[in-house]
Amino acid sequence: MENSGILVKVMGVVIDVEFPNGNLPGINIALKIPVDENRNEIFEVREHINASTVRAIAMGTTSGLRRGIRVVDTGNPIMVPVGQPTLGRMFNVLGEPIDNQPFPENITKKPIHVASPTLSSQRAVFTPFISGIKAIDLLIPFPTGGKVGLVGGAGVGKTVLMIELMRNTIAEHEGLALFAGVGERSREGNELWLDLKESGVLDSTILVFGQMNEPPGARMRIPQTALTMAEYFRDHENRSVLVYVDNIFRYSQAGAEVSALLGHLPSAVGYQPTLESEMGELQERITSTSSGSVTSVQAVYVPADDLTDPAVVAAFSHLDASCVLSRRLAGLGFYPAIDPLQSSSSLLTEDKIGARHFTIANRIRSYLARYEELQDVIAILGIDELTEQDQLIVKRARRIQRFLTQPFFVSEQYTGLSGQFIQLNETLNGFEAIANGKYDRLPEQAFYMVGTIEQAVEKAELFEIEEKEISEG
């Protein structure tokens, strides 16, 4: 028998539904309202108000709803399609394709609310994921099956770095990439789809979007929809999947909006009192099991560049590695604008990455840290007032800083430089040679926006030829 109720109250995107028989649907169960022949609106139960009434939040618009309309209890949480037919497609929070392409009818569907894997089924993995980006592979190695945060304010390059990582995952590792756009601008979503199509990696990608103009209920459930699709490939096809969430801060923000609409008292800085538990429920689903791994790269927007914001802190506590993007470095033209001294990784230990990698990474960090300490002295007195040892450190640190930049595939049209995927061994050789002083004679500009150290040497030779031609001409 179909369990149905009556819509008794509409408050923006929140509705109250009365079930006169007292047979209330459970929390997180989807309710369906047939508005007209071509339109069904889906709601998710969030609270039981009394013995016969539930309160639900909209996954779409509430325009056109009226009191007294029939509401159907679907008996299940939101169910989304999974498996091979989802590859290369773009979906909304309900798992409906939004790319105007035909979609098979009888496809396997899974609920978006599931328990995280048990502790006994989880597997600790200490293998670094080679991203092909020098600054990351050397100083912030990403753990396979871990959670990585790309942290930064607005306009420092989080999304560009994320798209580059997606491209490298598919093209170099033959993996699957799943992009969850939480509170994305529709322009960004369209650009991403076109970029992936042009680079020929769309068939190994799934895109799930909850855009800025959609209600907070939809934006809040986008990560769960994306993870459900990713978990199927991990658990049933034994694949390794990378899930990109842009932006995890907007997930917390959507939760705060939902909490306010439901009338809950706010916590610190206006966030929902359930911030930590909501974040924990989501993050605990991202893990490696005996059958495969789900690795996640999450962009973390930092409001007003304040790293102590509760939503940022809640996300931080779950991360295995944090890659902090600096506005100062972006302003100086160093891309990717990764701040190696603020960033960190749980893999950066001798037993996990090997003695050579660990030694080189620590030497590079020490050069950059000393250069940072000397900045004020240089600004006031000039570089000539430093000791010989410090002058040498500054000289090498400036070359290291420039060698940490590299041209991206996704920004070729803007920079005019061919994208580079750098193998870990080449990265280690290059930085070790700079730290040992092998290339002290080369101009520091030769290290800027190149891939390998050999390319830096070639660039320096070109500079010499140009200078010779100018002096002769």
Side-chain angles (χ1 to χ4, degrees), residues 138-178:
L138 176 71
L139 299 167
I140 326 153
F142 287 178
T144 302
K147 294 177 274 284
V148 178
L150 300 182
V151 186
V156 292
K158 294 187 299 297
T159 303
V160 171
L161 184 54
M162 190 173 279
I163 298 170
E164 181 74 4
L165 286 166
M166 279 181 78
R167 183 257 160 221
N168 290 354
T169 302
I170 297 161
E172 307 292 338
H173 294 282
E174 297 176 353
L176 290 180
L178 211 148

Side-chain angles (χ1 to χ4, degrees), residues 204-226:
S204 299
T205 313
I206 304 168
L207 305 171
V208 186
F209 285 108
Q211 289 158 242
M212 276 187 170
N213 61 331
E214 293 186 43
R219 283 182 272 127
M220 190 184 177
R221 289 292 174 245
I222 283 292
Q224 279 88 342
T225 297

Side-chain angles (χ1 to χ4, degrees), residues 18-218:
E18 188 179 350
F19 289 83
N21 57 5
N23 184 13
L24 299 185
I27 302 296
N28 291 334
I29 294 296
L31 304 178
K32 181 171 74 175
I33 300 182
V35 183
D36 55 44
E37 290 176 8
N38 303 316
R39 179 182 160 206
N40 288 314
E41 290 297 342
I42 302 294
F43 294 77
E44 191 179 80
V45 176
R46 295 306 303 268
E47 289 180 354
H48 289 181
I49 302 297
N50 55 43
S52 62
T53 311
V54 297
R55 183 161 286 169
I57 196 98
M59 295 292 127
T61 179
T62 53
S63 64
L65 297 188
R66 63 186 186 280
R67 289 170 65 188
I69 201 169
R70 191 170 71 97
V71 181
V72 179
D73 172 12
T74 63
N76 292 303
I78 294 168
M79 307 286 283
V80 297
V82 293
Q84 291 293 332
T86 59
L87 292 172
R89 303 303 300 271
M90 194 189 300
F91 299 95
N92 64 12
V93 68
L94 303 172
E96 298 166 346
I98 53 174
D99 52 10
N100 297 326
Q101 301 293 320
F103 198 64
E105 290 288 326
N106 51 350
I107 183 172
T108 309
K109 290 195 171 187
K110 296 278 183 183
I112 67 167
H113 295 284
V114 293
S116 58
T118 60
L119 274 175
S120 58
S121 68
Q122 291 185 28
R123 186 168 53 98
V125 180
F126 303 117
T127 314
F129 171 80
I130 304 304
S131 67
I133 296 168
K134 290 181 293 190
I136 290 172
D137 292 341
L138 176 71
L139 299 167
I140 326 153
F142 287 178
T144 302
K147 294 177 274 284
V148 178
L150 300 182
V151 186
V156 292
K158 294 187 299 297
T159 303
V160 171
L161 184 54
M162 190 173 279
I163 298 170
E164 181 74 4
L165 286 166
M166 279 181 78
R167 183 257 160 221
N168 290 354
T169 302
I170 297 161
E172 307 292 338
H173 294 282
E174 297 176 353
L176 290 180
L178 211 148
F179 184 87
V182 185
E184 275 284 281
R185 300 167 186 87
S186 53
R187 168 186 57 77
E188 289 177 339
N190 188 41
E191 284 174 6
L192 172 64
W193 187 81
L194 291 170
D195 284 342
L196 293 172
K197 195 174 182 183
E198 279 174 26
S199 53
V201 296
L202 188 62
D203 289 343
S204 299
T205 313
I206 304 168
L207 305 171
V208 186
F209 285 108
Q211 289 158 242
M212 276 187 170
N213 61 331
E214 293 186 43

Side-chain angles (χ1 to χ4, degrees), residues 15 17 43 50 63 79 173 228 276 283 285-286 302 308 320 327 341 376 449 451 454:
I15 62 166
V17 182
F43 294 77
N50 55 43
S63 64
M79 307 286 283
H173 294 282
T228 302
E276 295 285 350
Q283 300 280 8
R285 287 173 64 177
I286 302 166
V302 182
T308 62
D320 298 301
R327 193 174 301 284
L341 300 177
D376 287 345
M449 280 294 173
E454 289 78 18

